[in-house]
Amino acid sequence: MLSWIGLIGGLALLIWMTVRGIDILIAGPVAAFVVAVTAGLPLLPPLAGLLPGGEAAPDFASSYMAGFASFLADWFFMFLLGAIFGEVMAASGAATSVARAITRRLGSRYALAATVLACAVLTYGGVSVFIVAFAVYGLAVELFREADLPRRFIPGALAFGSVTFTMTSAGSPEIQNLIPMPFLGTNAYAGWQVSIVVAAFMAVLGYAWIARMVRHAVAGGERFVTRATDADFAVDTRLPSPLLAMLPLVGVLGVFLLTQDLGKWALVAALLTGVALACMVGWAQRGQFPAVFSRGATGAVVAITNTCAVVGFGSVAKLSPAFADALAAVQDIPGSPLIGAAVAVTVIAGLTGSASGGQTIALPLIAPHYLHAGADPAELHRTVAIASGALDSLPHNGYVVTTIRAVCGETHASAYAAVGATTVVVPVLGTILALVLFTVF
């Protein structure tokens, strides 16, 4: 019982501190400490002793830092290049050029749709959702500036376009769609018929919801507020042509698709190409490049360490006895195996603050159980993928913290309502729809 109190209390404390604006580098370890103490974990390596096989027993400090450091080692170069790419796109005038072209041809009412679409294209093209936020932010700022929309909705637009109807859909090269494959013997297009319906449902509902929130804010007198750190180009400033300005974004997607055999390192090649092209497009602004690169590097460090802090919490949380009990309990849910699998992955993704983490932890344990119970592998694959993208986006999620704070410079208090509506509520409804469709058809 104590471990249950600690696990739920630690998660609630982490969410509360995050929403209150307490630095995640403090909130993460503090919440993990609560989980560790109530779970009976030794706090330091010298107190842990040895397991029967002679290996060191887990402890709070080592487990937290192992999760923290593993994410840093895996993703640092991608975060660094992604942040620099976003800064160069803004400073070069490329983002401004594209934004003005869109609003000139389509009207300012399409600024929100253009932001969402840019994220969706890059995400479905395989660019990591973390990097998409960096890559599109500069464009989003200019689109929202041209349309005079409140910038606190930029995180919601970025998140909605990245982690809902694209990330977990059939055919998506994002890891959240690929993890189930070796466990279920499926491919990336598993359950594609239902996936198309669910993706369309989430896209329409999510866009209608966030658009309504933006309209309501504008009607209440909210407008775009320029910051000193924004790249600001006067109307008569000579900018790169819109087609030329699009070249860096196209280059990132094109090189990434052509270098898929490099795995995640394809992102490094793609982003290096994008940075080089953005510098060429904005060569007239080359005097700013040293400061721009430095600003990008600083932003990358802040962003990745924020995410690492949440990953570290998840590493400790999964060692709690309550975590194992919760996983066992959901496997006993009566009815369709798909319901139990959806609940299991959703709950674990919420506890760890990670869609991929929820799948990685749950699938080795639940896949054999539900396959033995008669679940169709393709249906199970799609259900698990969609379900993983729901509660993972609670306020403590690493992507959410990074996008709201490090990338967009907003607070949870101002920006999370739109993020939560489109990336928690909408995917939960999408999961329910998928379960209904798989049951009926």
Side-chain angles (χ1 to χ4, degrees):
M1 176 59 72
L2 184 59
S3 66
W4 273 101
I5 295 173
L7 182 61
I8 297 172
L11 178 61
L13 178 63
L14 178 59
I15 293 173
W16 179 82
M17 287 191 289
T18 302
V19 172
R20 295 287 294 178
I22 297 174
D23 196 303
I24 195 67
L25 292 175
I26 298 173
V30 169
F33 177 81
V34 172
V35 175
V37 170
T38 55
L41 281 178
L43 298 181
L44 300 172
L47 305 176
L50 299 176
L51 296 172
E55 298 180 358
D59 64 274
F60 161 69
S62 297
S63 298
Y64 185 88
M65 289 311 302
F68 188 106
S70 64
F71 191 90
L72 182 68
D74 285 342
W75 289 98
F76 175 72
F77 284 119
M78 292 74 162
F79 271 67
L80 177 65
L81 291 171
I84 291 174
F85 175 70
E87 291 287 348
V88 175
M89 281 291 289
S92 66
T96 301
S97 176
V98 174
R100 288 181 181 174
I102 291 173
T103 53
R104 185 166 57 248
R105 287 174 172 78
L106 302 179
S108 60
R109 65 184 182 279
Y110 289 102
L112 178 63
T115 301
V116 172
L117 182 60
C119 292
V121 170
L122 289 177
T123 301
Y124 203 77
V127 179
S128 167
V129 295
F130 284 97
I131 307 308
V132 170
F134 285 115
V136 181
Y137 174 67
L139 174 61
V141 168
E142 294 306 323
L143 285 168
F144 274 58
R145 187 208 304 269
E146 292 292 318
D148 199 20
L149 301 179
R151 66 188 301 156
R152 68 185 179 92
F153 291 101
I154 292 179
L158 297 178
F160 172 57
S162 301
V163 302
T164 53
F165 60 95
T166 51
M167 182 181 78
T168 60
S169 295
S172 171
E174 295 294 332
I175 191 172
Q176 291 81 3
N177 183 46
L178 305 182
I179 290 175
M181 290 165 51
F183 297 101
L184 302 173
T186 51
N187 59 43
Y189 296 91
W192 65 268
Q193 299 93 332
V194 166
S195 179
I196 291 175
V197 176
V198 173
F201 167 78
M202 290 197 293
V204 171
L205 176 61
Y207 184 77
W209 197 343
I210 191 172
R212 184 178 183 278
M213 296 174 77
V214 171
R215 287 196 302 270
H216 181 74
V218 171
E222 291 190 52
R223 295 291 183 268
F224 183 89
V225 178
T226 301
R227 295 174 182 166
T229 53
D230 292 340
D232 192 9
F233 295 91
V235 175
D236 58 351
T237 301
R238 185 176 179 83
L239 296 171
S241 72
L243 288 178
L244 189 62
M246 282 292 295
L247 185 61
L249 283 170
V250 174
V252 169
L253 186 57
V255 172
F256 181 82
L257 293 175
L258 291 173
T259 56
Q260 289 288 292
D261 57 327
L262 297 178
K264 70 178 184 180
W265 298 104
L267 262 178
V268 173
L271 289 168
L272 277 172
T273 302
V275 170
L277 290 173
C279 287
M280 293 169 60
V281 168
W283 191 246
Q285 308 294 333
R286 59 189 177 276
Q288 300 182 40
F289 287 171
V292 167
F293 275 57
S294 296
R295 192 161 61 244
T298 301
V301 171
V302 172
I304 195 169
T305 51
N306 282 344
T307 307
C308 289
V310 178
V311 175
F313 171 83
S315 297
V316 174
K318 68 183 182 182
L319 297 175
S320 170
F323 192 92
D325 292 342
L327 185 58
V330 295
Q331 295 185 63
D332 295 329
I333 294 176
S336 169
L338 298 181
I339 296 176
V343 173
V345 171
T346 299
V347 169
I348 295 172
L351 289 172
T352 59
S354 168
S356 57
Q359 291 190 41
T360 302
I361 294 169
L363 278 169
L365 301 172
I366 68 173
H369 174 80
Y370 288 122
L371 290 175
H372 180 72
D376 179 88
E379 295 180 356
L380 188 59
H381 177 136
R382 190 53 47 210
T383 299
V384 164
I386 296 172
S388 72
L391 294 187
D392 72 308
S393 298
L394 293 175
H396 67 294
N397 169 266
Y399 168 82
V400 171
V401 172
T402 296
T403 301
I404 290 178
R405 295 190 180 184
V407 177
C408 299
E410 301 291 339
T411 65
H412 275 66
S414 66
Y416 185 73
V419 174
T422 55
T423 68
V424 177
V425 180
V426 170
V428 166
L429 296 175
T431 302
I432 294 172
L433 177 60
L435 291 171
V436 171
L437 293 174
F438 280 131
T439 301
V440 173
F441 299 104

